[in-house]
Amino acid sequence: MKVLVPVKRVVDFNVKIRVKADGSGVDTANVKMSMNPFDEIAIEEAIRLKEAGKASEIIAVSIGPAQAQETLRTALAMGADRAILIRQDETVEPLGVAKLLKAVIAVEEPGLVILGKQAIDDDCNQTGQMLSALLGWAQATFASALELGEGKARVTREIDGGLQTIEVSLPAVVTADLRLNEPRYASLPNIMKAKKKPLEEKSPADYGVDTAPRLKVLKTEEPASRKAGIKVGSVPELVNKLKAEAGVI
Ligand code: AMP
């Protein structure tokens, strides 16, 4: 069974985000970019399925600019078998991504698609759900455990205040949560080997998909900066301030 893993190139999670001066979005010029952390978890899960003899081939797909090749090479160095870059320099919204993935799936016919639960740049948490709706496949979102059986998958999901276990029939769309696994680091020999693994380049037009945005960003703002704290001299003064000034007790 083939497993397809969509991976997105995003601003590295360690970078302190800066908003562009005109408020049109986040400044990504000269900023370190990496694979979306939830997508690393998705790749790791696919590799574990292959190591357990439950998956035959792992295909990593990215929609993005030429530099997204680096993200795909990381996926290949971790253990994916081949990669597809659908080149698009402008931002593609989740609906456009889902439509492109549906078109790739029509060609590749994977038995399972594992995505990240959300991309940490747009925080949309939409692509997996939209993809499953477009395909008419079952979806298991926020997975913290995945077990493959004959024609079905048992998925433990992280829900508010607990865990839920569901069974879905394959093919299915799964989205990875933080606790699904701890992704491996790519070793140097594997980074070298990854350079020789196949990476195909396509365009949205090759799949006949219109990726024009449906949304318009009106403005992007930095969060309000925190006010400086004060030191109080005693517990009664603290209680008084919490009552009279902060109004929290
Ligand atoms: P989102 O719905 O934007 O929060 O993204 C959820 C997941 O969809 C990500 O973790 C990726 O697995 C996948 N995804 C979103 N955008 C892209 C993209 N441009 N290229 C590849 N995968 C993507």
Side-chain angles (χ1 to χ4, degrees):
M1 179 182 75
K2 288 189 198 173
V3 180
L4 192 95
V5 185
V7 295
K8 187 176 186 188
R9 180 177 183 264
V10 297
V11 173
D12 187 88
F13 73 97
N14 283 308
V15 170
K16 187 167 180 325
I17 297 290
R18 282 189 320 263
V19 170
K20 282 189 200 159
D22 63 0
S24 62
V26 167
D27 191 358
T28 52
N30 302 319
V31 167
K32 183 175 181 228
M33 307 289 283
S34 301
M35 188 190 301
N36 182 43
F38 294 107
D39 304 352
E40 285 183 8
I41 297 172
I43 286 279
E44 175 66 35
E45 197 62 19
I47 298 167
R48 291 186 190 190
L49 290 174
K50 193 174 169 202
E51 286 169 345
K54 294 190 168 157
S56 54
E57 189 184 28
I58 302 163
I59 307 156
V61 184
S62 194
I63 294 123
Q67 297 90 320
Q69 275 198 16
E70 292 160 22
T71 315
L72 288 169
R73 289 282 172 213
T74 305
L76 294 170
M78 286 174 75
D81 296 290
R82 59 188 172 91
I84 303 170
L85 168 64
I86 306 177
R87 207 149 148 210
Q88 171 64 281
D89 290 340
E90 288 78 42
T91 308
V92 184
E93 292 167 359
L95 182 59
V97 174
K99 286 181 182 169
L100 284 168
L101 293 174
K102 183 185 175 207
V104 173
I105 287 162
V107 179
E108 299 291 348
E109 300 183 332
L112 183 67
V113 184
I114 313 178
L115 303 94
K117 73 162 178 179
Q118 76 192 64
I120 61 162
D121 53 357
D122 57 22
D123 272 342
C124 279
N125 177 12
Q126 295 171 356
T127 309
Q129 293 87 330
M130 286 177 169
L131 177 64
S132 105
L134 291 176
L135 291 166
W137 289 8
Q139 61 173 301
T141 50
F142 311 114
S144 62
L146 169 65
E147 233 180 279
L148 284 191
E150 237 355 272
K152 53 192 177 199
R154 181 181 281 246
V155 180
T156 305
R157 310 181 54 235
E158 300 217 352
I159 55 171
D160 256 1
L163 296 173
Q164 180 188 52
T165 302
I166 58 169
E167 195 173 87
V168 291
S169 49
L170 297 177
V173 173
V174 171
T175 72
D177 212 326
L178 196 63
R179 275 165 285 272
L180 183 59
N181 59 50
E182 268 204 29
R184 69 196 62 193
Y185 288 105
S187 66
L188 193 57
N190 285 345
I191 293 173
M192 301 312 287
K193 272 190 220 153
K195 295 189 183 181
K196 296 209 177 101
K197 289 188 179 175
L199 195 160
E200 212 181 330
E201 198 172 310
K202 297 276 196 183
S203 73
D206 292 334
Y207 295 102
V209 172
D210 164 22
T211 56
R214 265 63 171 172
L215 309 173
K216 193 168 153 198
V217 175
L218 299 180
K219 63 176 173 179
T220 314
E221 289 174 276
E222 303 259 3
S225 54
R226 272 180 66 180
K227 285 197 208 125
I230 53 158
K231 271 192 181 164
V232 289
S234 65
V235 172
E237 192 191 342
L238 171 66
V239 172
N240 188 35
K241 281 197 182 294
L242 289 174
K243 254 191 207 155
E245 290 175 24
V248 292
I249 56 171

